[in-house]
Amino acid sequence: MKLNKTPYKLLFALLLSGACLFSFRAQDATGIAIQNPRCELLVNPEGIDALQPRLSWEITSNVRGTDQIAYQVLVSSSAEKLSDNTGNVWDSGVVKSDQSIQVSYKGKPLQSGTEYFWKVRIWTNKGESAWSEVQHWSVGLLKPADWQAKWIGYDHAFAWDSVSKFSRLSARYFRKEFSSAKAIKKAMVYVSGLGYYELYINGSRIGDQVLAPAPTDYTQSVKYNTYDVTAQLKQGSNAIGTILGNGRFFTMRQNYKPAKIKTFGYPKMLLQMDIEYADGSHSIVASDDSWKLTGDGPIRSNNEYDGEEYDANKELTGWTNTGYNASAWIKPEVVDVPGGYMSAQMNEPVRVVETIKPKAITKIANGNYVIDMGQNMAGWINMHVKGDKAQRVELRFAETTKSDGDLYVANLRDARSTDVYTLKGGSEEQWHPRFAYHGFRYVEIVGYPGVPKIEDFEGQVVNDDLQNVGSFETSNPLINQIYKNAYWGIRANYKGMPLDCPQRNERMPWLADHATGSYSESFVYGNDSFYAKWLDDIEQSQKPEGQLCDVAPAYWNYYSEDFTWPATYLVVADMLYDQYGDKEPIVKHYASMKKWMNYMRDKYLKDNILTKDKYGDWCVPPESPELIHSKDTLRGTDGHLIATAYYYRMLTLMKRFAGLAGKSRDIAEYDAMASKIKATFNQTFFNAKTKRYSNNSVTSNLLPLYFGMVPVEDRKAVFKNITDKILIENKGHISTGVIGTQFLMRMLTDNGRADIAYRIASNTDYPSWGYMVKNGATTFWELWNGNTAAPQMNSQNHVMLLGDLLVWFYENLAGIKTESAQGFHKLVMKPEPVAGLTFVNASYKSVSGMVKSNWKKEGSSFSWEISVPANTKALIYVPATSAAGVSESGKSLTGNPDVHFVKMEAGRAVYRVNSGDYSFKSHI
Ligand code: RAM
């Protein structure tokens, strides 16, 4: 049975898909009919290296208070077997449980290269569901011995290549013909091509992913992809072709700073095809030295930083079909294995996720044309062009322009960011690069034949194809634009790993840039598999003694032994637990996290103060426009204060993790260390008279306050120092950098001053997010003064200054929040109807289902519509002067079986509600 819509959709090994097409039978004794069941498909690829996949499903119901009380899962070796409701691989039986996410498979041992089919049904307190649609997963090649293929490549440059600081290495093309005598039942391909590959069979491109596979430290881990290619193979002769790009494997700056930059060698590939014939027999086609190779194709050069050069006159017409004359091709070498552990890529692939039209095209003084995409984006241009043979068109990319309209490229450093296309001539040609992407809004077109028109160019947006899970809109257009900028900035920096920026000669997965950021991002994109993969990257960067790299995968040799950047390891695992209810990453990484904590303790904890910090509160708003880093000691924060507060915070996480990982014996030790550190921290940095920490910067005070280190009796005073600093000294402006900004908005709100948080968020003068918007930003800047600062470190598309802003948008402004560690099985909905906003409409597709919160203020009346997903419960806080004035769907709440009054608290009526849709009204 084929479930794939596209004929050669990428199959993850162990792809798990939850299904939720439930048509409820109205069986409840109360006679409530359940109508219009909503159907959504939840795709949850997980559990790769554990041979215990986890299954998730989503429940929809139009009846309030629907709770799952039991489930049954069936897994079979074929879809047909499932149709008579037998699970010949696993029948869970009826399991009494409300669990609907991450249900562990407990059937027979799973076999390499095998496909499995499954379905689920549930019982609820309101009735029973029908069986879900059948879903499937396929298991990859689990053991090294399953691979018969050999790594092949060519460990030399070709005559036309150059290997230097700006290496130019042509793409490598591989092909193989083979014949299959018998009728084919099924064929699967397992392939990895490093840095990047494209795969073709009998003239068809296989899969729609680009920049595959996901980048890793290839000496530690190598990802492969799996495709069902049954539809592309035929009985008789067949041809396979692959193209290899350089990606992060053959790094361009390999001779430049070898101590700093890792390179892995020349591109190489591994491919294995398993063909199952109609008669039940199998055969394998595998990469080896019987293949053919050339580097003399159209892609003359490719790398992520400098761009791609394509000469259409060099096209190898027909090379992916049978019968191609490859006599000029050479035999590939069987090369060394890259070294890393082979595993199927479980994070979503990178794809062209959207195509956008340019907004304008303008002729500039030098006679060239510049197109404006209207949006800073990451991807490439798909160009249409007609002209003479050998005509050369250059596309130069930049984020901004100078005042004369020319490109501003100083902030790209030495990344050349230029694609070159040489025409073959004749009819219209169409082209985009395959192995290079750019971060850009503007493109200068050099040498285009005739007058270029807008219709000749399309921007293709390239990033990990994560589900868009959130929507957020308010009555303030500035806040909406800030949200839109975040949406574009986050996606631009997803390239199989979270990057710092997509444009300059860096594009590195710096850890702190996505610490609390990963949590903010999780409200916009379903990023659980993406970040689970990143935790593996971080773990693989660990040295035997325990150090973690500041970038992971560790493409740069940056083991600064800073504390705050690597702490992201723990912060992201914690996020996955809270947002997705997934404790597996914590269990998996606990030992490595502990090793790192111990390493830092043993080397740098001196008398309970952590004495190592490299970056400080990175990128606080500087005092003068051209500065990158502030020189004013009152703006920054003492590195020892930051590191020690962070160490304390990480101990609290380790304490939590120890419980989850079954290491509760460690808890006492973490506790003891935490209390010693807290005491010394306060003795060292706290001035009991002024109630200030250190130099009284906002970050100095907020870290201990938010982390729970301030003595209870001093909390109010410390908070007042923060609000005085913001309101009086900074006139309502932000003064934090990458560290403080991760907690600022929640810290203000938790202490009752959401109004100050809103003021910070709605500013349009320096420094503020709104200042960026006002100055034309369509993403986020690296620096608060990104329109005036020196170019060396002035990306227009960094996400690190986002901090907890989007967490605050969703959890506080909209009031959509999971109860700790619940993965939205239990919610806390507490909106902040701040002065200045008249409405907020938000939705979030959580792992437990769709949550909605739309509120509106009209005079003193407050209305609030919410959706609490089936099988979940919420504690809700309705802004109200009194509970008596609160109604739901036009009726008083007395006797409402699904809404239970708890208490009045600080201007809110608090209720426990069952799942369902509600419409509240109150007086405020
Ligand atoms: C910059 C990066 C990144 C930051 C590091 C410390 O070069 O762009 O954003 O984390 O420095």
Side-chain angles (χ1 to χ4, degrees), residues 413 500 504 506 510 513 565 615 618 782 793 798 800:
R413 303 181 183 157
D500 60 341
R504 71 179 175 218
E506 186 159 9
W510 281 96
D513 296 38
W565 260 236
Y615 303 105
W618 189 249
E782 178 173 24
M793 205 185 103
H798 256 61
M800 66 187 181

Side-chain angles (χ1 to χ4, degrees), residues 617 734 736-744 769 784 801-804:
D617 192 10
I734 199 158
T736 48
V738 170
I739 298 296
T741 308
Q742 295 184 48
F743 314 97
L744 178 70
W769 297 293
W784 293 108
L801 291 180
L802 256 176
D804 68 352

Side-chain angles (χ1 to χ4, degrees), residues 287-349:
S287 50
D288 58 22
D289 62 4
S290 71
W291 286 49
K292 290 281 203 155
L293 156 76
T294 186
D296 200 9
I299 301 178
R300 305 309 293 172
S301 174
N302 68 94
N303 76 60
E304 276 182 51
Y305 302 97
D306 293 336
E308 190 160 308
E309 294 189 20
Y310 188 94
D311 182 350
N313 301 293
K314 289 269 183 192
E315 278 171 0
L316 306 163
T317 310
W319 71 282
T320 62
N321 278 314
T322 52
Y324 176 78
N325 177 2
S327 54
W329 293 41
I330 59 173
K331 195 175 152 109
E333 296 166 346
V334 171
V335 292
D336 288 345
V337 300
Y341 169 79
M342 297 287 301
S343 60
Q345 181 180 331
M346 295 303 295
N347 52 308
E348 290 84 347

Side-chain angles (χ1 to χ4, degrees), residues 467-472 483 487 521-526 810 842-845 850:
Q467 197 184 2
N468 188 200
V469 290
S471 68
F472 181 81
Y483 181 78
Y487 169 88
E521 295 160 18
S522 74
F523 283 103
V524 187
Y525 297 103
Y810 277 89
S843 70
Y844 173 61
K845 193 174 182 320
M850 181 64 91

Side-chain angles (χ1 to χ4, degrees), residues 138-208:
S138 70
V139 179
L141 299 183
L142 298 170
K143 302 181 291 300
D146 295 331
W147 287 96
Q148 296 180 19
K150 303 219 165 21
W151 282 96
I152 55 174
Y154 182 66
D155 279 346
H156 321 270
F158 286 101
W160 50 86
D161 292 332
S162 77
V163 176
S164 64
K165 178 177 171 187
F166 294 98
S167 290
R168 294 171 44 83
L169 200 75
S170 54
R172 278 115 194 261
Y173 298 75
F174 296 75
R175 72 184 306 276
K176 165 85 183 168
E177 289 195 24
F178 65 94
S179 87
S180 61
K182 299 187 267 185
I184 295 164
K185 183 172 167 210
K186 193 174 155 191
M188 301 291 280
V189 167
Y190 309 91
V191 60
S192 187
L194 306 176
Y196 297 136
Y197 74 90
E198 275 193 1
L199 171 65
Y200 296 81
I201 293 182
N202 294 328
S204 305
R205 165 105 200 271
I206 305 300
D208 57 359

